Amino acid sequence: MRATTDSNPAVDFETAGAGVLNLLSIYQAFSGDTEDAIQQQFTGMRYGDLKKQVAEMVISHLEPFQERYRRIVSEPGYLAGVLRDGAERVEPIADATVQLTKERMGLHT
């Protein structure tokens, strides 16, 4: 894993650089933990361990989306059907909007 961190050997909130703060904010965004909880959990932690925990947190939140994607693409014709149904549903709305626009612009057809 690559992410720019500081030259210090471990997380120090007093001197943390932008790279470390970015990793911590990513973790906090996904975990919903408070700043105090983040500080308690990560103060003194080695950067490699911090990076692993951030990666695990992000992966755990992305897995449901990846699984849903895999199911969708594994069903032949599913996406084509969704697109077709959507097009059929919005076509009357789009046609009415085009017609109204033409009328208001004086382009009677």
Side-chain angles (χ1 to χ4, degrees):
M1 279 181 266
R2 291 260 185 224
T4 302
T5 50
D6 297 334
S7 57
N8 297 336
V11 176
D12 177 7
F13 284 85
E14 298 296 320
T15 61
V20 171
L21 294 175
N22 185 50
L23 288 170
L24 293 168
S25 66
I26 291 169
Y27 186 92
Q28 185 176 20
F30 280 96
S31 71
D33 290 346
T34 65
E35 280 189 40
D36 288 339
I38 296 291
Q39 283 189 359
Q40 287 177 358
Q41 181 173 350
F42 293 108
T43 296
M45 182 178 285
R46 298 183 61 80
Y47 293 130
D49 295 332
L50 167 65
K51 292 173 186 180
K52 286 178 187 173
Q53 287 198 26
V54 172
E56 288 169 4
M57 179 62 69
V58 171
I59 289 167
S60 72
H61 280 77
L62 294 180
E63 281 177 342
F65 296 103
Q66 292 172 329
E67 177 57 32
R68 178 73 177 129
Y69 171 79
R70 284 190 288 272
R71 276 187 283 154
I72 287 170
V73 298
S74 71
E75 296 177 36
Y78 176 77
L79 283 179
V82 169
L83 293 172
R84 183 181 56 254
D85 293 347
E88 290 172 0
R89 190 172 56 250
V90 300
E91 186 176 17
I93 299 167
D95 288 345
T97 301
V98 169
Q99 185 59 38
L100 178 63
T101 302
K102 286 181 177 181
E103 288 173 11
R104 290 189 178 168
M105 290 178 67
L107 302 172
H108 300 286
T109 56

